[in-house]
Amino acid sequence: MNAALIYVVGPSGVGKDSLLAWLRCNLPEHLPAHWAQRTIDRPRVPDGEAHESITPAEFKRLLAAHSFAMHWQANGHQYGIRHAEITSLAQQQVFVNGSREHLPNAARAFPGMGILHITANKEVLRRRLLLRNRESIAEIEQRLNRLIAIEPPAGCAFFEIQNNDSLEASGQQLLQAVISLKTGIR
């Protein structure tokens, strides 16, 4: 099992970004990590993800030039991880904030990767989506009705992190999963 690539997935609003930020601040020094920057065909927003923002046309050009180690479409946008973002796999764990729908493709490209599925119960997720105030109530209900169970690909380590409680409690679950991926001890 080679769990140097850690593919993080979960529904929108579940708190992936908050948990990954917590992990960055709490990851022990003996567990070096790289946080792969995503390339997305949308502008940056204040207090949002520090992704590489490009136009849809530029994304299409980079895709044709095989500039991405992985790429997917979600929520009306194109997402990519450039090859340079994963070149340090031999020296450290590399975290990719990925897509649930792209999971089977990522597992074929990176056999044995680790998968961290961040989830929360439906009521907690509904409350968080309402607080974000980015979508209508009808859109939120549609999103909640599309929640899918994750079937981990064969040969991949899989951990599900319940983010229903405090950031600290969920962060500790996440940290234990990352340590397990690094050491191979479950």
Side-chain angles (χ1 to χ4, degrees):
M1 174 92 41
N2 175 8
L5 181 79
I6 300 176
Y7 196 76
V8 183
V9 295
S12 182
V14 79
K16 290 185 305 286
D17 292 336
S18 296
L19 275 173
L20 291 175
W22 182 95
L23 185 62
R24 281 183 191 207
C25 294
N26 291 280
L27 196 62
E29 286 183 24
H30 72 279
L31 295 175
H34 173 70
W35 310 89
Q37 182 185 41
R38 299 192 299 182
T39 300
I40 308 174
D41 68 350
R42 71 169 184 229
R44 286 188 185 182
V45 295
D47 297 323
E49 175 183 358
H51 65 275
E52 177 188 19
S53 176
I54 62 174
T55 66
E58 180 69 4
F59 195 98
K60 188 175 180 180
R61 187 189 67 71
L62 290 171
L63 192 57
H66 305 286
S67 298
F68 298 114
M70 63 178 75
H71 60 88
W72 62 92
Q73 184 173 2
N75 306 312
H77 294 285
Q78 294 287 330
Y79 296 76
I81 304 295
R82 290 184 183 249
H83 292 285
E85 292 296 323
I86 59 166
T87 57
S88 64
L89 282 171
Q91 295 85 30
Q92 60 189 341
Q93 291 175 309
V94 175
F95 288 83
V96 171
N97 187 348
S99 160
R100 292 170 292 167
E101 289 79 18
H102 182 69
L103 179 59
N105 294 333
R108 277 192 294 280
F110 298 92
M113 70 180 186
I115 302 163
L116 299 175
H117 179 220
I118 312 299
T119 188
N121 71 44
K122 213 171 188 176
E123 287 309 311
V124 168
L125 193 52
R126 178 180 284 111
R127 186 172 57 247
R128 289 179 183 156
L129 290 170
L130 286 168
L131 286 172
R132 262 189 355 186
N133 200 28
R134 291 186 198 165
E135 300 167 304
S136 71
I137 291 174
E139 289 169 325
I140 289 171
E141 290 306 316
Q142 278 183 325
R143 186 178 290 282
L144 292 170
N145 289 330
R146 283 193 320 256
L147 292 177
I148 58 172
I150 298 283
E151 183 65 36
C156 293
F158 180 81
F159 292 87
E160 188 164 273
I161 311 302
Q162 293 289 327
N163 190 17
N164 292 316
D165 301 314
S166 70
L167 184 59
E168 177 71 23
S170 298
Q172 288 296 333
Q173 286 182 54
L174 181 61
L175 178 58
Q176 289 310 307
V178 169
I179 290 169
S180 293
L181 286 169
K182 182 67 175 175
T183 63
I185 300 171
R186 293 187 103 180

